[in-house]
């Protein structure tokens, strides 16, 4: 599906025509590492392309026009071609077919502090990093004081960055990036660094860039930031443009679709010891309020969790309690849990039986973030029959479900919603 | 899913309606056709001259920071190597049987350029690999990376050359022509180093085997430069051995230091080969550069 508005307008800043990027995968090899696959494929190419390489189009047939002064957001699941798109737009890798044209100076921020050298001082790194981002030396010199003030690390300017804390490092790195003046800026999720206050400062800088009449291409998972910064968004799916248009509209459609492909085969997941031999969790599905299978929820959106059990044992298994834990995706900390026995549900499974249980979460209070579900089957007090850690990952987006309001202040994993009164 | 051919997005702020000064913005085309990118590459290299300089500065700073002796190493290395050659090969009848100082000078004339060349090629060869993270994250003309190492070696060479001049003065062999000749000879050396270095660098990006090959090649090269005299070989062997531009450089320095006539044929041959190596290496680099990120 091509989606490029075929405009005849002359004020585009970036123009993509039939852009595709093909990677060659090694034949008969597991494609665990794209890089390894590439190596094999290329070896074949050098040998006279004797190896019939499998090809993989990471991006194909993309037509896109980005107007001057526009901020365009790019969204998509992992593996949808976003990273390849970024690499193509920032010239890191050339397209296999098609053409990318852009007008003016282009800089990419795929990472803050690219090229920082441990042994060099803060001052030296500002100049080095600035040059890497495409700034002229006198340009950096002119903005030097501004950069240093923005970073707030004046005192450590002449200290090698290897002695910096990671926070200081990021501050300095972002300060350089923020003072980059180019016509076109390609930005990856650089905002995912630093503390909240600093992130806010960075977002502000990006907004400035946008209102300056510069063209910004922004790739992010942060839907709120994306909607705030971008008027228009492009949704990539399997290397093609699925939808392009008004940012709010595209984000909404994208969230509706959900990210169902992050699923894990729960039945086949590796177990510890004898877990799962008598009774086994064989499926775990999250459904949105509309009943669709999903792994992305809006904030406050009701959802259901379906847990399917089967019984591979030859004897019936009695007294089973289903335990559901919600973990932080980042560090696997247990945040909350519940057990079916507490609501009076104690299961008995006959051999070969297969049963499904549905948990309704009508008013979930999970804060926006990434979570994972851990399932366990217990019998009695201590004995664990089956346990599948982090068997389902899901995300709570920072976009409110219709009828809900995103709290103005939300720290931690849960929203507390007490009744307030003056007493 | 229905496509929404939307181009109606309003610019996200005030001040974006200013008429664009179209003519001042250069248009860049990135396509899959390499011929079009070659012209672009030359323009880019010039556009990124500040980055090139920043890389040179970085490489030099990093190399000598946290070393106790710093730049002294640049002087000590050829001195020790030259001394060793003189000590061993004088006994075997290479490098003259005159005063020890003459022998030392004979070897220094070859070792000083060679060591600089060899360190440039050595660091060039692994430069893309060691800057892989940078290359994967931001675009710049990739030639900047190995190029900066070669340019940096010129600075090292300046110091090492002072040693050569010092010994020439001590041996009474100094001639102002030495300083004059140093400029084209250094250019030859840098061209050769850039050609060989970029060739290995781009190969190493894909085949890490190169890392093991380069030190070996450089060792052979040292003997072919320091110990070989052009006149001592048969016609075919002599013709092949004199293809080495570094030999031409060493022989020219030697001729100047001993007051012998310069072998212009050899020097010219060396210069031609140096240019050919440079063009060939850079061409090969450019040829494979577009795939660099995908294989690194």
């Amino acid at each position: 599906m091509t989606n490029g508005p075929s405009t005849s307008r002359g004020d585009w800043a970036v123009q993509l025509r039939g852009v595709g990027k093909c990677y060659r995968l090694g034949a008969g090899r597991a494609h665990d590492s794209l890089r390894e696959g590439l190596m094999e494929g290329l070896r074949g190419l050098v040998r006279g392309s004797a190896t019939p390489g499998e090809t993989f189009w990471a991006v194909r047939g993309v037509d896109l026009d980005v107007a001057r002064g526009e901020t365009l957001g790019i969204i998509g699941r992992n593996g949808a071609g976003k990273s390849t798109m970024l690499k193509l737009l920032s010239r890191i890798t050339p397209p296999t077919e098609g053409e990318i044209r852009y007008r003016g100076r282009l800089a990419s921020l795929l990472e803050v502090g690219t090229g920082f050298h441990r042994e060099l001082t803060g001052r030296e790194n500002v100049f080095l990093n600035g040059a890497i981002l495409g700034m002229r030396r006198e340009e950096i010199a002119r903005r030097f004081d501004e950069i240093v003030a923005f970073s707030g690390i004046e005192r450590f300017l002449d200290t090698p960055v290897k002695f910096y804390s990671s926070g200081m490092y990021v501050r300095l790195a972002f300060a350089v990036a923020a003072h980059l003046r180019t016509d076109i800026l390609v930005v990856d999720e650089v905002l995912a660094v630093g503390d909240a206050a600093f992130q806010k400062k960075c977002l502000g800088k990006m907004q400035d860039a946008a209102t300056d009449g510069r063209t910004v291409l922004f790739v992010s998972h942060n839907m709120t930031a994306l909607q705030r910064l971008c008027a228009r968004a492009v949704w990539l799916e399997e290397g093609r443009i699925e939808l392009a248009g008004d940012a709010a509209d595209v984000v909404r459609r994208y969230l509706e679709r959900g990210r169902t492909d992050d699923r894990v085969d729960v039945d086949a997941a590796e177990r510890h010891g004898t877990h799962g031999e008598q009774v086994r969790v064989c499926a775990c599905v999250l459904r949105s309020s509309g009943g669709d299978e999903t792994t992305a929820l809006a904030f406050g959106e009701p959802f259901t969790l379906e847990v399917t059990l089967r019984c591979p044992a030859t004897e019936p298994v009695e007294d089973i309690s289903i335990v559901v834990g919600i973990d932080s995706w980042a560090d696997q900390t247990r945040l909350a849990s519940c057990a079916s026995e507490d609501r009076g549900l104690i299961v008995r499974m006959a051999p070969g039986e297969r049963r499904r249980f549905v948990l309704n979460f009508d008013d979930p209070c999970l804060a926006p973030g990434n979570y994972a579900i851990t399932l366990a089957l217990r019998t009695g007090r201590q004995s664990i029959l089956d346990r599948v850690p982090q068997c389902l990952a899901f995300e709570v987006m920072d976009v409110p479900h219709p009828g809900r309001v995103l709290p103005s202040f939300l720290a931690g994993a849960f929203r507390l919603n007490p009744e307030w009164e003056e007493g | 899913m229905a496509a929404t051919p939307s181009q109606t997005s309003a610019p996200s702020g005030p001040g974006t309606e200013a008429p664009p000064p179209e003519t001042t913005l250069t248009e860049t085309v990135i396509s899959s056709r390499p011929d079009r990118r070659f012209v672009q590459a030359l323009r880019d290299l010039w556009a990124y001259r500040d980055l090139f300089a920043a890389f040179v500065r970085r490489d030099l700073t990093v190399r000598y920071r946290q070393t106790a002796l710093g730049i002294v190493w640049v002087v000590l290395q050829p001195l020790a190597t030259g001394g060793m050659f003189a000590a061993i090969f004088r006994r075997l009848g290479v490098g003259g049987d005159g005063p020890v100082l003459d022998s030392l000078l004979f070897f220094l004339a070859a070792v000083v350029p060679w060591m600089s060349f060899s360190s440039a090629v050595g660091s060039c060869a692994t430069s893309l690999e060691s800057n892989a993270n940078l290359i994967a994250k931001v675009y710049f003309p990739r030639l900047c990376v190995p190029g900066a190492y070669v340019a940096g070696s010129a600075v090292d060479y300046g110091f090492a050359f002072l040693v050569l001049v010092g010994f020439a003065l001590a041996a009474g062999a100094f001639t102002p022509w030495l300083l004059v000749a140093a400029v084209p000879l250094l250019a030859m050396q840098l061209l050769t180093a850039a050609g060989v270095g970029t060739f290995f660098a781009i190969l190493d990006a894909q085949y890490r085997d190169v890392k093991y090959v380069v030190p070996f090649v450089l060792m052979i090269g040292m003997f072919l430069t320091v110990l070989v005299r052009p006149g001592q070989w048969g016609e075919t062997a002599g013709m092949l051995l004199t293809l080495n531009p570094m030999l031409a450089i060493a022989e020219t320095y030697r001729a100047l230091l001993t007051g012998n006539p310069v072998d212009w044929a050899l020097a010219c041959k060396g210069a031609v080969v140096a240019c050919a190596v440079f063009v060939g290496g850079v061409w090969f680099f450019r040829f494979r550069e577009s795939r660099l990120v995908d294989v690194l």
Side-chain angles (χ1 to χ4, degrees):
Chain A
M1 192 178 317
T2 54
N3 221 312
S6 51
T7 55
S8 53
R9 301 191 315 168
D11 62 343
W12 53 265
V14 183
Q15 190 180 62
L16 278 72
R17 285 290 174 268
V19 170
K21 178 71 185 178
C22 178
Y23 288 110
R24 213 171 280 270
L25 305 169
R29 298 193 58 188
H31 308 145
D32 291 329
S33 153
L34 186 60
R35 195 166 17 166
E36 275 175 33
L38 279 170
M39 286 287 282
E40 279 307 305
L42 277 164
R43 281 209 183 104
L45 204 66
V46 171
R47 280 192 217 111
S49 62
T51 323
E54 223 183 300
T55 57
F56 164 69
W57 288 90
V59 165
R60 193 155 203 196
V62 171
D63 293 322
L64 184 69
D65 280 69
V66 186
R68 182 199 309 279
E70 185 177 16
T71 47
L72 178 82
I74 299 171
I75 56 178
R77 294 169 295 102
N78 288 333
K82 266 183 312 170
S83 329
T84 307
M85 206 47 183
L86 266 176
K87 285 187 175 176
L88 289 169
L89 288 170
S90 51
R91 296 189 70 178
I92 291 166
T93 191
T96 313
E97 60 179 31
E99 235 174 42
I100 302 169
R101 290 166 181 268
Y102 62 83
R103 287 179 177 159
R105 263 171 76 195
L106 177 142
S108 56
L109 284 176
L110 304 199
E111 176 188 78
V112 288
T114 306
F116 261 47
H117 200 289
R118 283 168 41 79
E119 299 287 342
L120 300 180
T121 66
R123 183 188 304 276
E124 288 164 336
N125 269 311
V126 167
F127 280 95
L128 176 62
N129 188 231
I132 287 169
L133 294 176
M135 283 200 240
R136 306 299 317 272
R137 194 176 165 79
E138 65 264 19
E139 196 181 335
I140 307 165
R142 202 167 54 236
R143 296 183 198 283
F144 188 78
D145 293 337
E146 220 181 307
I147 292 172
V148 173
F150 186 86
S151 71
I153 57 137
E154 292 88 342
R155 284 175 53 214
F156 307 99
L157 259 191
D158 293 305
T159 308
V161 298
K162 64 179 170 183
F163 299 121
Y164 280 27
S165 72
S166 57
M168 285 158 66
Y169 184 95
V170 166
R171 267 151 209 277
L172 185 64
F174 196 88
V176 183
H179 290 81
L180 191 58
R181 291 287 174 276
T182 52
D183 306 303
I184 305 159
L185 193 59
V186 181
V187 189
D188 194 7
E189 313 216 55
V190 284
L191 301 170
V193 294
D195 53 57
F198 193 69
Q199 274 186 29
K200 210 168 170 182
K201 205 167 161 187
C202 299
L203 264 177
K205 268 284 170 191
M206 300 241 333
Q207 224 148 7
D208 291 351
T211 50
D212 258 9
R214 290 186 283 148
T215 310
V216 182
L217 301 170
F218 182 54
V219 175
S220 180
H221 283 300
N222 185 335
M223 294 295 155
T224 311
L226 196 131
Q227 287 188 75
R228 194 175 340 147
L229 283 169
C230 307
R232 201 158 76 97
V234 165
W235 167 11
L236 287 181
E237 192 78 45
E238 287 174 3
R240 291 164 187 274
I241 294 180
E242 178 77 22
L243 186 67
D246 175 63
D249 190 46
V250 173
V251 168
R252 190 177 49 78
R253 303 274 286 275
Y254 171 70
L255 293 182
E256 275 172 14
R257 176 80 64 91
R259 303 192 304 164
T260 45
D261 71 320
D262 291 347
R263 284 171 52 191
V264 179
D265 185 347
V266 177
D267 200 26
E270 209 174 303
R271 304 298 211 275
H272 182 265
T274 58
H275 289 172
E277 284 178 8
Q278 293 183 63
V279 61
R280 193 176 181 90
V281 179
C282 59
C284 175
V285 174
L286 189 77
R287 291 192 189 278
S288 69
S289 48
D292 296 326
E293 192 174 340
T294 186
T295 55
L297 299 164
F299 173 78
E301 180 178 359
F303 64 92
T304 57
L305 190 67
E306 288 177 11
V307 180
T308 311
L309 309 187
R310 67 184 180 90
C311 184
T314 48
E315 301 280 303
V317 185
E318 314 251 354
D319 216 16
I320 307 164
S321 177
I322 306 167
V323 182
V324 177
I326 293 182
D327 305 339
S328 150
W329 175 245
D331 57 7
Q332 273 102 56
T333 322
R334 175 62 41 82
L335 300 171
S337 59
C338 58
S340 65
E341 66 183 305
D342 297 333
R343 297 298 289 262
L345 179 70
I346 293 169
V347 186
R348 178 187 187 276
M349 294 285 286
E353 204 181 8
R354 195 181 174 95
R355 290 167 72 180
R356 194 171 69 185
F357 300 91
V358 180
L359 293 78
N360 290 301
F361 293 85
D362 291 332
D363 186 18
C365 54
L366 281 170
N370 288 289
Y371 301 95
I373 286 170
T374 292
L375 290 174
L377 303 177
R378 295 200 314 180
T379 181
R381 275 289 93 187
Q382 291 297 325
S383 177
I384 294 174
L385 294 168
D386 192 18
R387 185 172 187 274
V388 198
Q390 282 90 41
C391 63
L392 177 76
F394 68 100
E395 185 177 358
V396 175
M397 304 295 211
D398 38 15
V399 180
H401 185 64
R404 313 271 168 159
V405 182
L406 207 59
S408 58
F409 180 80
L410 188 51
F414 297 99
R415 176 204 51 172
L416 298 177
N417 205 10
E419 293 295 331
W420 293 75
E421 59 185 40
E422 197 173 323
Chain B
M1 177 123 333
T4 313
S6 159
Q7 186 63 20
T8 53
S9 57
S12 57
T16 49
E17 293 300 311
E22 299 256 331
T23 44
T24 60
L25 294 181
T26 49
E27 184 169 323
T28 309
V29 182
I30 316 167
S31 80
S32 51
R33 276 156 293 180
D35 53 310
R36 293 177 76 172
R37 275 183 262 132
F38 192 81
V39 184
Q40 190 58 40
L42 298 179
R43 263 189 261 151
D44 281 347
L45 207 54
W46 176 245
Y48 279 77
R49 58 193 178 279
D50 280 15
L51 177 63
F52 192 90
F55 278 151
V56 174
R57 218 172 292 121
R58 174 193 69 174
D59 297 337
L60 287 174
T61 317
V62 169
R63 192 134 39 103
Y64 295 112
R65 188 158 289 174
Q66 279 210 353
T67 57
L69 293 180
I71 207 81
V72 176
W73 284 114
V74 177
V75 173
L76 273 184
Q77 282 171 342
L79 207 55
T81 314
M84 190 195 69
F85 268 110
I88 296 170
F89 287 97
R90 246 172 82 82
R91 291 184 177 274
L92 302 175
V94 186
D97 41 14
V100 179
L101 203 53
D102 286 359
S103 251
L104 183 60
L105 208 52
F106 173 86
F107 284 107
L108 278 182
V111 165
V112 165
W114 176 263
M115 297 288 276
S116 162
F117 170 84
S118 146
S119 83
V121 171
S123 44
C124 250
T126 53
S127 62
L128 294 177
E129 192 190 335
S130 53
N131 287 280
N133 184 47
L134 190 56
I135 288 166
K137 290 294 180 191
V138 64
Y139 169 80
F140 53 85
R142 308 313 190 188
L143 272 171
C144 284
V145 175
Y149 284 101
V150 175
S153 79
V155 177
D156 285 355
Y157 184 75
F159 289 97
F161 185 69
L162 289 180
V163 177
L164 191 63
V165 171
F167 274 88
L169 285 169
F174 180 78
T175 149
W177 288 111
L178 188 61
L179 301 181
V180 176
V183 176
L185 291 179
L186 176 61
M188 258 169 85
Q189 176 193 321
L190 295 180
L191 285 177
T192 314
V196 177
T198 50
F199 173 81
F200 281 131
I202 197 73
L203 269 187
D204 177 65
Q206 189 172 359
Y207 308 105
R208 298 294 193 263
D209 319 46
V210 171
K211 229 179 358 224
Y212 305 103
V213 173
V214 169
F216 180 71
V217 168
L218 287 175
M219 192 181 71
I220 305 276
M222 179 161 80
F223 291 116
L224 293 182
T225 299
V226 178
L227 294 177
V228 164
R229 303 302 312 272
Q232 297 168 338
W233 299 80
E235 202 161 316
T236 320
M239 199 277 287
L240 289 174
L241 288 169
T242 52
L243 280 175
N244 172 9
M246 292 308 293
L247 180 65
I249 293 169
E251 283 299 316
T252 310
Y253 278 129
R254 281 169 177 169
L256 289 168
L257 288 169
T258 51
N260 288 329
V262 170
D263 185 345
W264 287 103
L266 178 67
C268 291
K269 188 172 168 186
V272 169
V273 174
C275 290
V277 166
F278 175 71
V279 172
V282 170
W283 179 83
F284 186 71
F285 189 95
R286 291 287 316 152
F287 181 70
R288 300 179 67 108
E289 184 187 11
S290 62
R291 288 222 150 255
L292 176 58
V293 171
D294 302 337
V295 297
L296 194 63

